[in-house]
Amino acid sequence: MDKQTFNQQLMAFLDASPTPFHAASNMAAALDAAGFIALDERDDWSLEAGKGYYTLRNGASIVAFRVGQGDVAQQGWKMVGAHTDSPCLKVKPNPVLHKKGYFQLGVDVYGGALLNPWFDRDLGLAGRISYRSQDGELRNRLINTERAIGCIPSLAIHLDREANSNRSINAQTDLPVLISQPEKAPDFNALLKQLLIEQGGNDVDTVLDYELSFYDVQGAALIGLEQEFIASARLDNLLSCFIGLQALLAAPSDQHSVLVSNDHEEVGSMSSSGAQGPMLESVLRRIAGDESRWQRAIAHSLMISADNAHGVHPNFSDRHDANHGPLLNRGAVIKINVNQRYATNSETSAAFRHLCQQCQQPVQSFVVRSDMACGSTIGPITSSALGVATLDIGVPTFAMHSIRELAGADDAVGLSQVLAAFYARQ
């Protein structure tokens, strides 16, 4: 796939995936279109060599895989991992606030969000609503307003003269989202019911619960004099989800290949559908069969954890180690940390460098400054849980965890080519 087509499809995926539920659903739809077969974890599985399968958990995590022609116990799996969640503002269970003639919704901060950029943005609402249908059944439906229904207005500088030099944000008091005025606003449950009806939920009787998030309705865009950058929400880490998905779809059917995209990475991964949960292991064990075959397959396997890397910022270059400042549009980044916040070791790093050389794609390295704390990924979690050889890589990015991030227009398609070659490797 050429770069222009790839980036247009990437941006469409980003725009259509405002929550992990939507991201996993859109990935499942792409897999369906490619002939992959949906599996239910509650059923017995009958897998055939040469075919592709996938399973969802909690509607927000997905494991997709191809069953190769050879013995998986002797060949192992080629695995790529990413995550579907991004820092955001989630609606509280009892969110309604009436203050000074305005109707607001209270929110919780999900993950390590960069909060300042959330002010003065056009915010839509999306997520999953659970409800009782008119025939008494319990059902779920995804909703997405696709238009702005709220915002968080900044306080004018005339009323906060220190805003540009000494402003802090109180998540409890400063972030409630303005959505209407009381005399025009419906009851909140009535609002949710109306959103369900607008999204095709004509059978709704009673709304029971929800997981909803605000998001910036501004779409992804190519920017720069030569359109050399991609600006979008949720690049961390839907960028890697899309890259991994395209690579898996291009993978040969005779290879044992796996793509896992977990939810809840931004809050520690400790959930039934997160990387600290058993989802991936349970799927792989079902593929392998008995314990001996499972152990042998893992010993032959390699996991590539794909999660965005910090590009060196031209205005803040001192925040990087001087010898390890990844540049946008200069290739994927191998992420290394001696304290195992990343799972890369010299063997897995060498394998990836060799792969990049074969694909004629550039590759960079990232090491956090020795006097700064290092973030982490699903890489060390998956590696320690499964005992699988792992490395951490990612596309260099600016403004990570902001409401709008920036990446290079060349890097995503380049990494997808490398991962496709990884899946195809004998």
Side-chain angles (χ1 to χ4, degrees), residues 126-274:
R128 181 175 68 184
I129 299 179
S130 300
Y131 64 96
R132 184 175 66 242
S133 65
Q134 293 171 357
D135 58 7
E137 296 295 320
L138 180 62
R139 293 180 180 160
N140 300 302
R141 182 173 289 274
L142 301 188
I143 67 103
N144 179 8
T145 64
E146 296 184 3
R147 65 179 181 88
I149 66 166
C151 68
I152 308 171
S154 291
L155 180 63
I157 196 167
H158 313 76
L159 305 177
D160 183 8
R161 294 293 183 180
E162 302 300 315
N164 289 331
S165 59
N166 190 31
R167 186 187 181 199
S168 61
I169 297 171
N170 185 301
Q172 174 67 22
T173 61
D174 296 347
L175 295 181
V177 179
L178 175 67
I179 66 168
S180 188
Q181 294 177 301
E183 63 270 20
K184 299 178 181 179
D187 172 81
F188 185 59
N189 281 339
L191 173 61
L192 296 182
K193 188 172 181 178
Q194 181 60 38
L195 290 175
L196 279 170
I197 293 172
E198 290 175 0
Q199 305 287 310
N202 297 315
D203 60 341
V204 60
D205 177 66
T206 305
V207 173
L208 299 174
D209 214 334
Y210 56 84
E211 294 178 66
L212 298 173
S213 305
F214 283 101
Y215 72 96
D216 185 3
V217 298
Q218 183 179 2
L222 290 169
I223 68 170
L225 288 176
E226 302 294 332
Q227 295 192 326
E228 57 265 65
F229 306 115
I230 297 175
S232 177
R234 301 175 298 280
L235 290 178
D236 178 20
N237 190 31
L238 294 189
L239 186 65
S240 299
C241 290
F242 184 81
I243 291 169
L245 176 64
Q246 295 307 307
L248 181 67
L249 293 176
S253 60
D254 61 345
Q255 296 297 306
H256 296 281
S257 48
V258 177
L259 172 66
V260 55
S261 292
N262 291 112
D263 193 9
H264 299 139
E265 189 273 348
E266 298 292 0
V267 291
S269 295
M270 189 177 291
S271 70
S272 64
S273 54

Side-chain angles (χ1 to χ4, degrees), residues 302-360:
L302 178 62
M303 160 70 83
I304 296 178
S305 167
D307 201 347
N308 297 10
H310 295 293
V312 59
H313 195 304
N315 299 343
F316 303 94
S317 59
D318 61 330
R319 306 300 173 92
H320 276 70
D321 181 287
N323 290 340
H324 301 89
L327 300 174
L328 274 58
N329 289 317
R330 296 296 187 272
V333 179
I334 299 173
K335 300 157 74 172
I336 302 163
N337 182 259
V338 295
N339 295 309
Q340 293 300 296
R341 300 294 289 169
Y342 302 131
T344 308
N345 61 37
S346 58
E347 286 188 337
T348 59
S349 174
F352 187 74
R353 290 183 186 280
H354 180 58
L355 198 59
C356 290
Q357 289 174 356
Q358 290 179 320
C359 296
Q360 297 183 318

Side-chain angles (χ1 to χ4, degrees), residues 113-121 152 154 163 167-169 175 401-403:
L114 191 62
L115 294 178
N116 274 303
W118 280 83
F119 289 84
D120 308 317
R121 306 295 296 189
I152 308 171
S154 291
R167 186 187 181 199
S168 61
I169 297 171
L175 295 181
H401 289 198
S402 175
I403 197 170

Side-chain angles (χ1 to χ4, degrees), residues 69-142:
Q69 297 289 348
D71 185 358
V72 72
Q74 297 180 7
Q75 296 178 353
W77 293 282
K78 299 173 184 68
M79 296 186 280
V80 173
H83 64 88
T84 57
D85 61 322
S86 303
C88 64
L89 302 182
K90 292 200 170 188
V91 180
K92 290 183 175 181
N94 298 305
V96 175
L97 301 169
H98 294 288
K99 296 177 66 176
K100 297 298 180 181
Y102 296 99
F103 181 30
Q104 297 173 285
L105 295 181
V107 293
D108 268 329
V109 179
Y110 177 88
L114 191 62
L115 294 178
N116 274 303
W118 280 83
F119 289 84
D120 308 317
R121 306 295 296 189
D122 298 337
L123 302 180
L125 188 66
R128 181 175 68 184
I129 299 179
S130 300
Y131 64 96
R132 184 175 66 242
S133 65
Q134 293 171 357
D135 58 7
E137 296 295 320
L138 180 62
R139 293 180 180 160
N140 300 302
R141 182 173 289 274
L142 301 188

